Amino acid sequence: MRANINFYKGEVKRIEAVVTPRDPDELVVINKAHYRLLRLNTGETVEDGELDIDKDTVSTILGIDEAGLFELKITVTVGKETFIEKALVRTES
């Protein structure tokens, strides 16, 4: 699923994602989680790092100091599987 996230230049927000299993009785154990923020027009990495993990939720504090379009890519490893989610981030002045 591709989400849209809107920021104003200089705004700081907590970004969270919940990992849900296909089987509702299955326990989710996240091994590692990483994010990368890319500037869309150049593909340049603006920021990247490890996500905080709290049970089935991953999160980070994200702040963007410039206007433009970005892609936030979240990569989460659960057991032997790796899941990737992307979001379009639009920052206005």
Side-chain angles (χ1 to χ4, degrees):
M1 174 164 68
R2 191 159 175 114
N4 291 310
I5 302 170
N6 295 311
F7 274 83
Y8 287 107
K9 184 175 139 181
E11 188 174 25
V12 177
K13 294 182 182 180
R14 179 176 202 76
I15 305 297
E16 292 185 342
V18 177
V19 179
T20 56
R22 290 186 187 109
D23 178 355
D25 295 327
E26 186 178 344
L27 177 65
V28 173
V29 178
I30 299 171
N31 300 334
K32 60 183 181 173
H34 182 267
Y35 75 95
R36 176 170 289 153
L37 183 68
L38 301 169
R39 186 175 286 111
L40 273 184
N41 62 349
T42 65
E44 175 189 1
T45 298
V46 175
E47 185 176 331
D48 69 351
E50 298 302 313
L51 292 163
D52 296 327
I53 301 170
D54 183 15
K55 298 178 187 168
D56 63 350
T57 303
V58 296
S59 65
T60 191
I61 300 294
L62 190 63
I64 303 175
D65 293 331
E66 58 187 278
L69 286 175
F70 303 86
E71 178 183 79
L72 177 63
K73 180 179 177 183
I74 295 175
T75 305
V76 178
T77 303
V78 178
K80 295 180 181 179
E81 297 181 282
T82 300
F83 301 94
I84 298 173
E85 290 291 334
K86 295 180 180 180
L88 180 66
V89 179
R90 182 181 316 274
T91 305
E92 298 179 29
S93 300

